[in-house]
Amino acid sequence: MPLLLGLETSCDETAAAVVRDGREVLSNVVATQHELHVRYAGVVPEIASRAHGERVMPGVQQALDEAGITLPAIDAIAVGNRPGLVGSLIVGVSAAKALAWSLGVPLIGVDHVRAHLHAARISDSLAPAPQPPAPAIGLVVSGGHTTLYRLERWRDPLRLGATIDDAIGEAYDKAGVILDAGYPGGPAVDKLAQAGDANAPGVPELPVSMLKPDSLDFSFSGLKTALLYAVRGLPVGRGKSATFERDAADLDPRQKANLAAAFQHAAVEAVIRKLKRTLKQWPDRDAAPRALILGGGVSANSHLRRRVLAFGEEHGLSVHLPKLAFCVDNAAMIAGYAHDALVAGDHAPLDLSVVATARA
Ligand code: KG4
Ligand code: ZN
């Protein structure tokens, strides 16, 4: 029953967690930096790295305390070493190396996007999370990624498609700015959309991007621009002196909520249609998918959760959604995902590097 300590510092969350046996979360500490980035309406890399530097070791101590253990009980250190902001990743990876070296335990480097797929398989309560049957469709919907996978062996997901421009969470965050809904935009737009009606008279239908007929890739930048024009009207004038007819402050609360609902409908509809396409294009008819696994910050979205549960029911798939605490960035998914690598002896060297991009 190995105990892993996980560290996560890829973006704007400094996180540490202790996980037993890959599934049982003994502690899950997340220090969010939202308060540092809110006035820039986006993550400022330099500010993020500095904050990770201040918070990472206190986070580790808190994770150990909450798990009721001390460092010598740890069997391995897992760390997200890709993808992410390089300066931020370096903080977590350096801390993990120091811990692994001083304790004399293995270091495991984890791909953060793949780890999001593990989030639905972990539990912090006495009831273990149900384990999905294979083969499965994996879908990561986060601030940096929108990626579809075919999952046969859990450690070896096959990428089927990904966004060609904005990630879905990025589009939500920009929608938050356009609608002046709050930061981060995802949860704020979700809440606003719940009070709105996409089918109300006068609400424009926003585009659902499907790309080429057989494409499993995603595109969300057109949706974002369509929302911008729906809120502000068309640009007046050209170049730097261009202005808009109006902005979010000129809309009444009902109009704003209805536009948020129209955005949410189009964003989620794009995901559902790509899932349908994935089923249709599944190469092996004799080994059809039996489960759908979601992960990433946007898997916390109320409308997406409802729609994928209905999709699973319609197509006979068991749907595995992370608990809300494990949707957004956390270190429990990192420590949990690293368990199989530890057992397989797939340890990282102490010169483990950080990489800005996800594994193919
Ligand atoms: O997985 P995550 O914490 O970070 C990345 O790996 O990127 O995802 C963060 C993203 C942000 O874009 C945030 O706005 C979005 O997840 N998000 C949501 C919701 N909660 C978080 N988007 C839509 N609806 C939500 N309820
Ligand atoms: Zn993430």
Side-chain angles (χ1 to χ4, degrees):
M1 298 280 247
L3 273 182
L4 273 89
L5 172 66
L7 297 183
E8 156 59 37
T9 63
S10 67
C11 190
D12 58 345
E13 252 86 43
T14 316
V18 177
V19 176
R20 181 158 46 207
D21 220 20
R23 308 278 164 75
E24 194 189 337
V25 180
L26 304 188
S27 63
N28 181 38
V29 174
V30 181
T32 171
Q33 301 178 4
H34 290 164
E35 80 285 2
L36 299 178
H37 303 287
V38 61
R39 69 179 166 126
Y40 306 101
V43 178
V44 181
E46 173 69 17
I47 294 176
S49 322
R50 284 168 187 258
H52 287 309
E54 289 161 12
R55 297 173 184 195
V56 68
M57 292 317 290
V60 166
Q61 190 56 56
Q62 192 183 338
L64 294 169
D65 292 347
E66 288 182 15
I69 58 166
T70 53
L71 272 177
I74 293 294
D75 295 298
I77 310 289
V79 62
N81 73 313
R82 68 185 304 178
L85 302 169
V86 165
S88 290
L89 288 167
I90 285 173
V91 177
V93 168
S94 303
K97 285 175 181 174
L99 285 164
W101 183 75
S102 58
L103 294 171
V105 298
L107 174 71
I108 319 271
V110 171
D111 179 295
H112 174 100
V113 183
R114 292 183 175 194
H116 269 304
L117 288 175
H118 190 75
R121 303 174 65 205
I122 57 180
S123 169
D124 56 0
S125 68
L126 287 176
Q131 295 305 302
I137 300 172
L139 175 65
V140 175
V141 276
S142 72
H145 299 271
T146 312
T147 311
L148 258 176
Y149 296 94
R150 185 164 133 208
L151 291 163
E152 267 150 29
R153 291 179 304 272
W154 301 119
R155 286 193 62 209
D156 213 6
L158 180 74
R159 190 150 85 176
L160 300 175
T163 184
I164 59 165
D165 43 50
D166 290 357
I168 184 168
E170 201 178 339
Y172 261 98
D173 291 336
K174 289 183 180 149
V177 174
I178 294 168
L179 289 164
D180 196 17
Y183 178 86
V189 172
D190 187 5
K191 197 161 163 228
L192 191 58
Q194 287 175 45
D197 176 5
N199 299 315
V203 179
E205 197 173 321
L206 298 179
V208 177
S209 163
M210 292 302 288
L211 302 172
K212 291 198 178 122
D214 60 346
S215 172
L216 294 178
D217 288 331
F218 298 88
S219 164
F220 291 100
S221 72
L223 171 60
K224 179 189 69 187
T225 309
L227 177 70
L228 180 76
Y229 289 158
V231 170
R232 296 193 181 166
L234 292 176
V236 182
R238 285 179 168 268
K240 281 191 184 151
S241 59
T243 53
F244 283 94
E245 291 169 358
R246 54 179 186 269
D247 68 16
D250 298 315
L251 301 179
D252 68 41
R254 174 126 312 273
Q255 283 173 313
K256 255 169 84 159
N258 289 349
L259 283 169
F263 172 86
Q264 175 136 292
H265 170 77
V268 171
E269 182 64 25
V271 170
I272 297 294
R273 288 196 201 165
K274 286 291 153 87
L275 289 173
K276 279 192 189 139
R277 223 178 237 183
T278 308
L279 280 184
K280 212 162 127 203
Q281 292 182 14
W282 199 262
D284 190 349
R285 289 278 134 213
D286 298 330
R290 299 168 63 202
L292 168 62
I293 305 165
L294 258 73
V298 186
S299 61
N301 184 267
S302 60
H303 187 54
L304 180 62
R305 287 175 92 90
R306 258 196 317 276
R307 295 278 322 260
V308 292
L309 286 169
F311 177 85
E313 203 154 304
E314 189 184 336
H315 296 281
L317 303 170
S318 69
V319 177
H320 300 257
L321 293 166
K323 277 187 66 164
L324 290 182
F326 303 135
C327 290
V328 285
D329 287 347
N330 66 85
M333 68 183 193
I334 301 281
Y337 187 69
H339 173 265
D340 287 354
L342 174 69
V343 171
D346 188 4
H347 307 163
L350 282 177
D351 63 357
L352 173 70
S353 54
V354 302
V355 185
T357 54
R359 285 174 70 170

